[in-house]
């Protein structure tokens, strides 16, 4: 018996990084998995990998910046498998901007990916769960920066802080439907996207991970597979009645001062 046996799981933003790690972990725990993303190459490669392990898996091509396409990811999964049991919103845009230099266009991009897409994907998933009168679980991958964050992450923080509030609001609204909704505020994590961000915005070299790890309390960055295991636990019945929780999954302690 796996933690997610026979559950239908959609991972939005699931073709790389934390999302892809969640998809792999969900399959190991017995789930049927769908992953969405803009680029078909990594999405189809991941689905082929999962299918090679005997799993049922599908790729849904979608630009999550479009709210209609975000909703359509859920629709496609329900059409393919008859229902959705679990949703993970793992997509994230981390392009830099301060309060003084962020343009309306950049701000709108962050809102679209980091807040609007999860909102409307959740709307579609919860609607299916309510229609069937069946329980379900949702996990939103947020960020520890949602508590305040760095000056160069102003639009990112604004959007992700909104997602943190939305997580609690939706959990409260649908607790009597037995739909549990939780969030994970992850810290600095070693992903393909973070590698690209460090190189593009901070001039990082090939050894940036090692340099970063040396400055962190645990001597390493967050690992996608470890985060994925935690997400799977929150999706599963083993997390019990927990809903409306936004958990700080980080090695820096909020409010702690040196």
């Amino acid at each position: 018996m796996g933690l997610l046996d026979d559950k239908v799981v959609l991972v939005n933003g699931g073709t790389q990084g934390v999302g892809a790690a969640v998809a792999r972990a969900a399959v190991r725990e017995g789930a049927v998995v769908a992953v969405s993303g803009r680029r078909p190459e990594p999405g189809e490669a991941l689905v082929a990998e999962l299918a090679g392990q005997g799993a049922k898996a599908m790729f849904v091509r979608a630009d999550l910046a479009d709210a209609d396409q975000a909703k359509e990811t859920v629709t496609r999964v329900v059409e393919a498998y008859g229902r959705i049991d679990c949703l993970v919103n793992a997509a994230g845009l981390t392009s830099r901007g301060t309060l003084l230099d962020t343009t309306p266009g950049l701000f709108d991009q962050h809102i679209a990916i980091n807040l609007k897409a999860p909102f409307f994907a959740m709307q579609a998933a919860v609607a299916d769960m309510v229609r069937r009168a069946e329980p379900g679980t949702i996990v939103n991958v947020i960020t520890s920066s949602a508590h305040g964050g760095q000056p160069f992450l102003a639009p990112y923080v604004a959007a992700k802080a909104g997602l943190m509030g939305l997580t609690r609001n939706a959990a409260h609204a649908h607790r009597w439907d037995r739909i549990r909704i939780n969030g994970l505020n992850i810290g600095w994590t070693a992903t393909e996207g973070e590698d690209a961000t460090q190189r593009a915005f901070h001039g990082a070299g090939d050894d940036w991970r090692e340099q970063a790890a040396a400055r962190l309390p645990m001597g390493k960055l967050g690992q996608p597979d470890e985060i994925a295991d935690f997400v799977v636990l929150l999706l599963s019945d083993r997390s019990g009645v927990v809903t409306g929780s936004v958990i700080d999954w980080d090695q820096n302690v909020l409010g702690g001062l040196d």
Side-chain angles (χ1 to χ4, degrees):
M1 292 291 290
L3 288 174
L4 297 176
D5 271 350
D6 298 322
K7 298 292 188 184
V8 177
V9 178
L10 167 61
V11 185
N12 274 337
T15 60
Q16 66 175 20
V18 170
V22 170
R24 293 184 177 101
V27 161
R28 287 196 301 271
E29 294 297 334
V32 174
V33 171
V35 295
S36 78
R38 287 184 297 111
R39 298 180 297 134
E41 293 82 6
E44 290 168 356
L46 177 59
V47 165
E49 172 194 326
L50 299 177
Q53 299 168 13
K56 287 184 180 179
M58 66 180 288
F59 169 63
V60 180
R61 187 175 185 179
D63 181 354
L64 296 174
D66 182 331
D68 288 336
Q69 292 188 47
K71 292 173 67 174
E72 183 68 16
T73 60
V74 175
T75 302
R76 291 276 304 279
V77 170
V78 173
E79 289 174 349
Y81 300 120
R83 69 186 195 278
I84 181 170
D85 300 305
C86 309
L87 169 66
V88 179
N89 287 306
L93 178 68
T94 59
S95 51
R96 291 353 192 184
T98 70
L99 179 65
L100 296 180
D101 63 22
T102 295
T103 64
L106 178 61
F107 185 86
D108 289 345
Q109 289 173 19
H110 277 272
I111 294 297
I113 294 292
N114 295 325
L115 180 57
K116 198 172 182 180
F119 186 105
F120 286 101
M122 288 169 64
Q123 181 186 81
V126 169
D128 176 70
M129 296 167 187
V130 169
R131 177 185 60 81
R132 294 182 291 108
E134 292 290 342
T137 51
I138 296 173
V139 174
N140 293 319
V141 179
I142 314 177
T143 172
S144 57
S145 293
H147 293 297
Q150 298 89 332
F152 55 79
L153 291 177
Y156 177 68
V157 169
K160 288 290 195 176
L163 182 56
M164 189 160 60
L166 171 62
T167 298
R168 295 189 175 108
N169 178 270
H172 176 72
H174 292 284
R175 67 198 193 283
W176 289 103
D177 296 313
R178 297 177 298 154
I179 298 170
R180 298 189 300 107
I181 304 172
N182 295 291
L184 210 57
N185 280 338
I186 64 173
W188 202 0
T189 305
T191 65
E192 301 96 323
E194 182 61 18
D195 180 69
T197 296
Q198 289 296 319
R199 293 174 187 274
F201 293 99
H202 301 287
D206 292 342
D207 64 344
W208 74 265
R209 292 181 183 84
E210 290 76 14
Q211 291 187 21
R215 303 196 302 269
L216 293 171
M218 305 301 166
K220 66 176 185 177
L221 283 82
Q223 300 300 306
D225 62 326
E226 296 169 351
I227 295 168
D229 287 344
F230 204 94
V231 170
V232 164
L233 177 65
L234 288 174
L235 292 175
S236 78
D237 293 341
R238 291 304 298 160
S239 55
V241 298
V242 174
T243 194
S245 290
V246 180
I247 300 162
D248 290 330
W249 199 97
D250 198 4
Q251 55 193 301
N252 293 311
V253 180
L254 181 66
L257 297 173
D258 293 324

